[in-house]
Amino acid sequence: MANFQAATLWYQIKLMLKQQFIFPALVVLGLLISCGTPENLQSFDSDTWKEDRYGCEGKRGDLADDFEEIRKELYGQKEYVLRNLLGKPDSEELLERSQRIYYYYLEPGTQCADRSALSEANRVEVRINSLGKVSEVTYKEPYKAAKAD
């Protein structure tokens, strides 16, 4: 009888340990899967955009038409999706009620020499609401499509 109780106790301990590790593992796996870029945004050349910090190399300007195609798809996306796609913002402004504006330069300007102040160069301005979602995506100057050669 003592052997049966010991075996039952050992089985219950093993079952409890499995449950304690399976649930957290599933949660972590779910988080890793959800941190990717949505399929409708994967056609954008994110790597080239991220390489051109502050827009000083002009690569972002070349991607402006591609960005305009996905701009409306950004609305409602979580902040981590935006950061996965566009990288760390060139500049950031904190607003009231935990809102933020991220700035991504599209062209070279004074920000290439002095990164402490906002430049007058054209830039994408992305507003993040207090829920951590993209609520607005605009340009400092009106967007102009690239001219056909």
Side-chain angles (χ1 to χ4, degrees):
M1 186 70 153
N3 286 341
F4 177 73
Q5 289 176 341
T8 303
L9 181 61
W10 177 246
Y11 176 76
Q12 289 175 346
I13 290 172
K14 282 177 40 178
L15 185 62
M16 209 167 45
L17 287 174
K18 280 184 185 178
Q19 290 173 346
Q20 287 178 341
F21 290 112
I22 289 175
F23 181 71
L26 290 175
V27 169
V28 169
L29 181 63
L31 287 173
L32 289 174
I33 290 172
S34 69
C35 289
T37 304
E39 193 172 313
N40 58 345
L41 299 174
Q42 289 181 356
S43 63
F44 182 71
D45 188 358
S46 179
D47 293 333
T48 301
W49 180 279
K50 290 176 189 177
E51 288 171 8
D52 190 12
R53 292 280 291 152
Y54 296 93
C56 296
E57 297 175 27
K59 293 178 184 177
R60 286 186 183 170
D62 296 340
L63 290 172
D65 288 340
D66 295 339
F67 179 79
E68 180 60 22
E69 289 180 19
I70 65 157
R71 184 176 68 86
K72 291 182 181 176
E73 301 294 326
L74 293 173
Y75 285 86
Q77 296 290 339
K78 289 283 199 178
E79 178 183 4
Y80 69 83
V81 172
L82 177 75
R83 282 183 170 255
N84 282 346
L85 186 69
L86 302 181
K88 181 181 176 185
D90 298 329
S91 188
E92 180 178 349
E93 183 178 346
L94 298 175
L95 305 172
E96 60 186 29
R97 298 184 183 141
S98 302
Q99 296 183 66
R100 293 177 302 291
I101 298 179
Y102 287 172
Y103 298 104
Y104 296 93
Y105 289 101
L106 293 172
E107 60 190 18
T110 58
Q111 80 278 4
C112 295
D114 178 17
R115 296 186 176 169
S116 64
L118 284 177
S119 167
E120 290 301 311
N122 198 12
R123 61 184 176 251
V124 173
E125 300 177 353
V126 182
R127 182 181 291 262
I128 310 292
N129 66 22
S130 60
L131 299 175
K133 292 186 176 186
V134 174
S135 62
E136 187 177 356
V137 183
T138 58
Y139 300 94
K140 180 185 179 300
E141 299 171 11
Y143 169 73
K144 297 173 192 149
K147 295 178 182 174
D149 292 316

